[in-house]
Amino acid sequence: MSTSLSTSSDNTDIRPLMSCFPSGVSVVTALGTDSAPRGMTCSSLASVALDPATLVVCLRTAGPTLRAALDSGRFAVNLLDERARAVSDLFASGATDRFERAEWRLPLGAGGPHLTGAALAVADCEVTQAVEVGDHTAVFGRVTGVTLADAGEPLLYGRRRYARWSVATSPLAEAAAEVPLSTALEGDTRVGTRL
């Protein structure tokens, strides 16, 4: 049985919808005008173009990370390793000492702090455009450099919980997920043909 979450367009809560769309987890970092590091956990990230290489991240409009990125004109996207759930939680919290509790460095030419040990990959970006949409701002960044860890797998997030890429893609998980197309699930309604 499906549940309808119909509400007026002014207060529609899209969080239940987006929880059905699992994604990787990143921490966006930047340096403020005071040279202090800022950062927040962000799952709103997408590749926009390959040439020039451009990413978009959606940051809280009222947050200090957005202000730092816009003021400096630069930011870094730290894609988290599957073992970095604690770092994701830390940067999603209101903790003011998050950079004191996480390992990081600022390489020459970096767009923002690199979360060493927690990041599977880091993209350094220059801000090219920002568009405010409600309580978030879409920040477009031209990628100026990419740093990859020697090994690791991505941290995933969906249905309001974390998952490990290595577990989700293990042969055992893949075998459990395989259901013959001819086997209808209870309550499964089919229209047309599944390819």
Side-chain angles (χ1 to χ4, degrees), residues 17-86:
L17 170 75
M18 294 313 298
S19 77
C20 295
F21 187 68
S23 68
V25 183
S26 70
V27 172
V28 176
T29 58
L31 289 181
T33 53
D34 57 358
S35 296
R38 307 284 194 273
M40 65 173 276
T41 300
C42 175
S43 58
S44 298
L45 160 70
S47 169
V48 175
L50 296 178
D51 187 15
T54 305
L55 300 176
V56 63
V57 294
C58 297
L59 306 176
R60 269 190 342 271
T61 299
T65 304
L66 173 66
R67 184 80 273 134
L70 296 181
D71 288 348
S72 69
R74 299 159 26 126
F75 63 93
V77 177
N78 294 267
L79 301 181
L80 296 187
D81 182 270
E82 66 179 3
R83 296 162 296 174
R85 177 181 174 168

Coordinates of all heavy atoms in Angstrom, one line a residue, residues 17-86:
L17 N 11.2 12.1 -0.1 CA 11.5 11.8 -1.5 C 13.0 11.6 -1.7 O 13.5 10.6 -2.2 CB 11.1 12.9 -2.4 CG 11.5 12.8 -3.9 CD1 10.8 11.7 -4.6 CD2 11.4 14.1 -4.5
M18 N 13.8 12.5 -1.2 CA 15.3 12.5 -1.4 C 15.9 11.3 -0.6 O 17.0 10.9 -1.0 CB 15.9 13.8 -1.0 CG 15.5 14.9 -2.0 SD 15.6 14.5 -3.7 CE 17.3 14.2 -3.9
S19 N 15.3 10.9 0.5 CA 15.8 9.7 1.2 C 15.8 8.5 0.4 O 16.5 7.5 0.6 CB 15.1 9.5 2.5 OG 13.9 8.9 2.3
C20 N 14.9 8.5 -0.7 CA 14.8 7.3 -1.6 C 15.9 7.4 -2.7 O 15.9 6.5 -3.6 CB 13.4 7.3 -2.2 SG 12.1 7.0 -1.0
F21 N 16.7 8.4 -2.7 CA 17.7 8.6 -3.7 C 19.1 8.6 -3.1 O 19.6 9.6 -2.6 CB 17.5 9.9 -4.4 CG 18.4 10.1 -5.6 CD1 18.2 9.4 -6.8 CD2 19.4 11.1 -5.6 CE1 19.0 9.6 -7.9 CE2 20.2 11.3 -6.7 CZ 20.0 10.6 -7.8
P22 N 19.7 7.3 -2.9 CA 20.9 7.2 -2.2 C 22.0 8.0 -2.9 O 22.0 8.0 -4.2 CB 21.2 5.8 -2.1 CG 20.3 5.1 -3.1 CD 19.2 6.1 -3.4
S23 N 23.0 8.5 -2.2 CA 24.1 9.2 -2.8 C 25.4 9.0 -2.0 O 25.3 8.4 -0.9 CB 23.8 10.7 -2.8 OG 23.8 11.2 -1.5
G24 N 26.4 9.5 -2.6 CA 27.7 9.5 -1.8 C 27.6 10.6 -0.8 O 26.7 11.4 -0.8
V25 N 28.6 10.7 0.0 CA 28.7 11.7 1.1 C 29.9 12.5 0.9 O 31.0 11.9 0.7 CB 28.6 11.1 2.5 CG1 28.6 12.1 3.6 CG2 27.4 10.1 2.6
S26 N 29.8 13.8 1.0 CA 31.0 14.7 0.9 C 31.0 15.7 2.0 O 29.9 15.9 2.7 CB 31.0 15.4 -0.5 OG 30.0 16.4 -0.5
V27 N 32.1 16.3 2.3 CA 32.2 17.4 3.1 C 32.8 18.5 2.3 O 33.9 18.4 1.7 CB 33.1 17.1 4.4 CG1 33.4 18.4 5.2 CG2 32.5 16.1 5.3
V28 N 32.1 19.6 2.2 CA 32.6 20.8 1.4 C 33.3 21.7 2.4 O 32.8 22.0 3.5 CB 31.4 21.6 0.8 CG1 31.9 22.8 0.1 CG2 30.7 20.6 -0.2
T29 N 34.5 22.1 2.1 CA 35.3 23.0 3.0 C 35.8 24.2 2.2 O 35.9 24.2 1.0 CB 36.6 22.2 3.5 OG1 37.3 21.8 2.3 CG2 36.2 21.0 4.3
A30 N 36.1 25.3 3.0 CA 36.6 26.5 2.5 C 37.3 27.3 3.6 O 37.1 26.9 4.8 CB 35.5 27.3 1.9
L31 N 38.1 28.3 3.3 CA 38.7 29.1 4.3 C 37.9 30.4 4.3 O 37.7 31.1 3.3 CB 40.2 29.4 3.9 CG 41.1 28.2 4.1 CD1 42.5 28.7 3.7 CD2 41.1 27.6 5.5
G32 N 37.6 30.9 5.5 CA 37.0 32.2 5.7 C 38.0 33.3 5.5 O 39.2 33.1 5.4
T33 N 37.5 34.5 5.6 CA 38.3 35.7 5.4 C 39.3 35.8 6.6 O 40.3 36.5 6.5 CB 37.5 37.0 5.3 OG1 36.6 37.1 6.4 CG2 36.7 37.0 4.0
D34 N 39.0 35.2 7.7 CA 39.9 35.2 8.9 C 40.9 34.0 8.8 O 41.6 33.7 9.7 CB 39.0 35.1 10.1 CG 38.1 33.8 10.2 OD1 38.1 33.1 9.2 OD2 37.4 33.7 11.2
S35 N 40.9 33.3 7.6 CA 41.8 32.1 7.4 C 41.4 30.9 8.2 O 42.1 29.9 8.2 CB 43.2 32.5 7.6 OG 43.7 33.4 6.7
A36 N 40.2 31.0 8.9 CA 39.8 29.8 9.7 C 39.0 28.9 8.7 O 38.3 29.3 7.9 CB 38.8 30.3 10.8
P37 N 39.2 27.6 8.9 CA 38.5 26.6 8.1 C 37.0 26.5 8.4 O 36.7 26.6 9.6 CB 39.3 25.3 8.4 CG 39.8 25.5 9.8 CD 40.1 26.9 9.9
R38 N 36.2 26.3 7.4 CA 34.8 26.1 7.5 C 34.5 24.8 6.7 O 35.1 24.5 5.7 CB 34.0 27.2 7.0 CG 34.3 28.6 7.5 CD 33.8 28.8 8.9 NE 33.9 30.2 9.3 CZ 34.9 30.8 9.9 NH1 36.0 30.2 10.1 NH2 34.8 32.1 10.2
G39 N 33.4 24.1 7.1 CA 33.0 22.9 6.4 C 31.7 22.4 6.8 O 31.3 22.6 8.0
M40 N 31.0 21.7 5.9 CA 29.7 21.0 6.2 C 29.6 19.8 5.4 O 30.1 19.7 4.3 CB 28.6 22.0 6.0 CG 28.4 22.4 4.5 SD 26.9 23.4 4.2 CE 25.7 22.1 4.0
T41 N 28.9 18.8 6.0 CA 28.5 17.6 5.2 C 27.5 18.0 4.2 O 26.6 18.7 4.4 CB 27.9 16.5 6.2 OG1 28.9 16.3 7.2 CG2 27.6 15.3 5.5
C42 N 27.7 17.4 3.0 CA 26.9 17.7 1.8 C 26.6 16.5 1.0 O 27.6 15.9 0.5 CB 27.6 18.9 1.0 SG 26.7 19.3 -0.5
S43 N 25.4 16.2 0.7 CA 25.1 15.1 -0.2 C 24.5 15.7 -1.5 O 24.2 14.9 -2.4 CB 24.2 14.0 0.4 OG 23.0 14.6 0.8
S44 N 24.3 17.0 -1.5 CA 23.8 17.6 -2.7 C 25.0 18.1 -3.6 O 25.4 19.2 -3.5 CB 22.9 18.9 -2.4 OG 21.8 18.5 -1.6
L45 N 25.4 17.2 -4.4 CA 26.6 17.4 -5.3 C 26.3 16.7 -6.6 O 25.8 15.6 -6.7 CB 27.8 16.7 -4.6 CG 29.0 16.3 -5.4 CD1 29.8 17.6 -5.9 CD2 30.0 15.4 -4.7
A46 N 26.7 17.4 -7.7 CA 26.6 16.8 -9.0 C 27.7 17.3 -9.9 O 28.2 18.4 -9.8 CB 25.2 17.1 -9.6
S47 N 28.0 16.5 -10.9 CA 28.9 16.9 -12.0 C 28.0 17.7 -13.0 O 26.9 17.2 -13.4 CB 29.5 15.7 -12.7 OG 30.1 16.0 -13.8
V48 N 28.4 18.9 -13.4 CA 27.7 19.7 -14.3 C 28.2 19.6 -15.8 O 27.5 19.5 -16.7 CB 27.7 21.2 -13.9 CG1 27.0 22.1 -14.9 CG2 27.0 21.3 -12.5
A49 N 29.5 19.7 -15.9 CA 30.2 19.6 -17.2 C 31.5 19.0 -17.1 O 32.2 19.1 -16.1 CB 30.3 21.0 -17.8
L50 N 32.0 18.4 -18.2 CA 33.3 17.8 -18.3 C 34.3 18.8 -18.8 O 35.5 18.8 -18.5 CB 33.3 16.6 -19.2 CG 32.5 15.4 -18.7 CD1 32.5 14.3 -19.7 CD2 33.0 14.9 -17.4
D51 N 33.8 19.8 -19.7 CA 34.7 20.8 -20.3 C 34.0 22.1 -20.4 O 33.2 22.3 -21.2 CB 35.2 20.3 -21.7 CG 36.2 21.2 -22.3 OD1 36.8 22.0 -21.5 OD2 36.4 21.1 -23.5
P52 N 34.4 23.0 -19.5 CA 35.3 22.9 -18.4 C 34.8 22.0 -17.3 O 33.6 22.1 -17.0 CB 35.6 24.3 -17.9 CG 34.3 25.0 -18.2 CD 33.8 24.4 -19.4
A53 N 35.6 21.3 -16.6 CA 35.2 20.4 -15.5 C 34.5 21.2 -14.4 O 35.2 22.1 -13.8 CB 36.4 19.7 -14.9
T54 N 33.2 21.0 -14.2 CA 32.5 21.8 -13.3 C 31.6 21.0 -12.4 O 30.9 20.0 -12.9 CB 31.6 22.8 -14.1 OG1 32.4 23.6 -14.9 CG2 30.8 23.8 -13.1
L55 N 31.6 21.3 -11.1 CA 30.7 20.6 -10.1 C 29.7 21.7 -9.6 O 30.0 22.9 -9.6 CB 31.5 20.1 -8.9 CG 32.6 19.0 -9.3 CD1 33.3 18.7 -8.0 CD2 31.9 17.8 -9.8
V56 N 28.6 21.2 -9.0 CA 27.7 22.1 -8.3 C 27.5 21.4 -6.9 O 27.3 20.2 -6.8 CB 26.4 22.3 -9.0 CG1 25.6 21.1 -9.2 CG2 25.5 23.4 -8.3
V57 N 27.5 22.3 -5.9 CA 27.2 21.8 -4.5 C 26.1 22.8 -4.0 O 26.1 23.9 -4.3 CB 28.4 21.8 -3.6 CG1 29.5 20.8 -4.0 CG2 29.0 23.2 -3.5
C58 N 25.2 22.2 -3.2 CA 24.2 23.1 -2.6 C 24.4 23.2 -1.1 O 24.5 22.2 -0.4 CB 22.8 22.4 -2.8 SG 22.4 22.4 -4.6
L59 N 24.7 24.4 -0.7 CA 25.1 24.7 0.7 C 24.0 25.6 1.4 O 23.3 26.4 0.7 CB 26.4 25.5 0.7 CG 27.6 24.8 0.0 CD1 28.8 25.7 0.0 CD2 27.9 23.4 0.6
R60 N 23.9 25.4 2.7 CA 22.9 26.3 3.4 C 23.2 27.7 3.2 O 24.4 28.2 3.5 CB 23.0 25.9 4.9 CG 22.0 24.9 5.4 CD 21.9 24.7 6.9 NE 23.0 25.3 7.7 CZ 24.2 24.6 8.0 NH1 24.4 23.4 7.6 NH2 25.1 25.2 8.7
T61 N 22.3 28.5 2.8 CA 22.5 29.9 2.6 C 22.9 30.7 3.8 O 23.8 31.6 3.7 CB 21.2 30.5 2.0 OG1 20.9 29.9 0.7 CG2 21.3 32.0 1.7
A62 N 22.4 30.3 4.9 CA 22.8 31.0 6.2 C 24.0 30.5 6.8 O 24.5 31.0 7.9 CB 21.6 31.0 7.2
G63 N 24.7 29.5 6.2 CA 25.8 28.8 6.8 C 27.1 29.5 6.6 O 27.3 30.2 5.6
P64 N 28.1 29.3 7.5 CA 29.4 29.9 7.4 C 30.2 29.3 6.2 O 31.1 30.0 5.7 CB 30.1 29.7 8.7 CG 29.3 28.5 9.3 CD 27.9 28.6 8.8
T65 N 30.0 28.1 5.8 CA 30.7 27.4 4.8 C 30.4 28.1 3.4 O 31.3 28.4 2.7 CB 30.4 25.9 4.7 OG1 30.6 25.3 5.9 CG2 31.2 25.2 3.6
L66 N 29.2 28.5 3.2 CA 28.8 29.2 2.0 C 29.5 30.5 2.0 O 30.1 30.9 1.0 CB 27.3 29.4 1.9 CG 26.9 30.3 0.7 CD1 27.2 29.6 -0.7 CD2 25.4 30.6 0.8
R67 N 29.4 31.3 3.1 CA 30.0 32.6 3.1 C 31.5 32.5 2.9 O 32.1 33.3 2.1 CB 29.8 33.2 4.6 CG 30.3 34.6 4.7 CD 29.3 35.6 4.2 NE 29.6 35.9 2.7 CZ 28.7 36.0 1.8 NH1 27.4 35.9 2.1 NH2 29.0 36.2 0.5
A68 N 32.2 31.5 3.4 CA 33.7 31.3 3.2 C 34.0 31.0 1.7 O 34.9 31.6 1.2 CB 34.2 30.2 4.1
A69 N 33.2 30.1 1.1 CA 33.4 29.8 -0.3 C 33.2 31.0 -1.2 O 34.0 31.3 -2.1 CB 32.4 28.7 -0.7
L70 N 32.1 31.8 -0.9 CA 31.9 33.0 -1.8 C 32.9 34.0 -1.5 O 33.4 34.7 -2.5 CB 30.5 33.5 -1.5 CG 29.3 32.5 -1.9 CD1 28.0 33.2 -1.6 CD2 29.4 32.1 -3.4
D71 N 33.3 34.3 -0.3 CA 34.3 35.3 0.0 C 35.7 35.0 -0.5 O 36.4 35.8 -1.1 CB 34.4 35.5 1.5 CG 33.2 36.3 2.1 OD1 32.3 36.8 1.3 OD2 33.0 36.3 3.4
S72 N 36.1 33.7 -0.4 CA 37.4 33.3 -0.9 C 37.4 33.0 -2.4 O 38.4 33.0 -3.1 CB 37.9 32.1 -0.2 OG 37.1 30.9 -0.5
G73 N 36.2 32.7 -2.9 CA 36.1 32.3 -4.4 C 36.5 30.9 -4.6 O 36.7 30.5 -5.8
R74 N 36.7 30.1 -3.5 CA 37.2 28.7 -3.7 C 36.6 27.8 -2.7 O 36.2 28.2 -1.6 CB 38.7 28.7 -3.6 CG 39.4 29.5 -4.6 CD 40.8 30.0 -4.3 NE 41.6 29.3 -3.4 CZ 42.8 28.8 -3.7 NH1 43.3 29.0 -4.9 NH2 43.5 28.2 -2.8
F75 N 36.6 26.5 -3.0 CA 36.1 25.5 -2.0 C 36.7 24.1 -2.4 O 37.2 24.0 -3.6 CB 34.6 25.4 -1.9 CG 33.9 25.1 -3.2 CD1 33.6 23.7 -3.5 CD2 33.5 26.0 -4.1 CE1 32.9 23.4 -4.6 CE2 32.8 25.7 -5.3 CZ 32.5 24.3 -5.5
A76 N 36.6 23.2 -1.5 CA 37.1 21.8 -1.8 C 35.9 20.9 -1.5 O 35.2 21.1 -0.6 CB 38.3 21.4 -1.0
V77 N 35.8 19.8 -2.3 CA 34.8 18.8 -2.1 C 35.5 17.5 -1.7 O 36.3 17.0 -2.5 CB 34.0 18.5 -3.4 CG1 33.0 17.4 -3.2 CG2 33.2 19.8 -3.9
N78 N 35.3 17.1 -0.5 CA 36.0 15.9 0.1 C 35.0 14.8 0.0 O 34.0 14.7 0.7 CB 36.4 16.1 1.5 CG 37.4 17.2 1.7 OD1 38.6 16.8 1.8 ND2 37.0 18.4 1.8
L79 N 35.2 13.8 -0.9 CA 34.3 12.7 -1.0 C 34.8 11.6 0.0 O 35.9 11.2 0.0 CB 34.4 12.0 -2.4 CG 34.0 12.9 -3.6 CD1 34.1 12.2 -4.9 CD2 32.6 13.5 -3.4
L80 N 33.8 11.3 0.9 CA 34.2 10.5 2.1 C 34.4 9.0 1.8 O 33.6 8.4 1.1 CB 33.2 10.7 3.2 CG 33.2 12.1 3.8 CD1 32.3 12.2 5.0 CD2 34.6 12.7 4.1
D81 N 35.4 8.4 2.5 CA 35.6 7.0 2.4 C 34.5 6.3 3.3 O 34.0 6.9 4.2 CB 37.0 6.7 3.0 CG 37.4 5.3 3.0 OD1 37.0 4.6 4.0 OD2 37.9 4.8 2.0
E82 N 34.3 5.0 3.0 CA 33.2 4.3 3.7 C 33.5 4.2 5.2 O 32.6 3.9 6.0 CB 32.9 3.0 3.1 CG 34.1 2.0 3.2 CD 33.8 0.6 2.5 OE1 32.7 0.5 1.9 OE2 34.6 -0.2 2.6
R83 N 34.7 4.4 5.6 CA 35.0 4.3 7.1 C 34.9 5.6 7.8 O 35.2 5.7 8.9 CB 36.4 3.7 7.2 CG 36.6 2.3 6.7 CD 38.0 1.9 6.5 NE 38.5 2.8 5.5 CZ 39.8 2.8 5.1 NH1 40.7 2.1 5.7 NH2 40.2 3.6 4.1
A84 N 34.5 6.7 7.1 CA 34.5 8.0 7.6 C 33.1 8.5 8.1 O 32.8 9.7 8.1 CB 35.0 9.0 6.6
R85 N 32.3 7.6 8.5 CA 30.9 8.0 9.0 C 31.0 9.0 10.1 O 30.3 10.0 10.2 CB 30.2 6.8 9.5 CG 28.8 7.1 10.0 CD 28.1 5.9 10.5 NE 26.8 6.4 11.2 CZ 25.9 5.6 11.5 NH1 25.9 4.3 11.3 NH2 24.8 6.1 12.1
A86 N 32.0 8.8 11.0 CA 32.1 9.7 12.2 C 32.5 11.1 11.7 O 32.0 12.1 12.3 CB 33.2 9.2 13.1

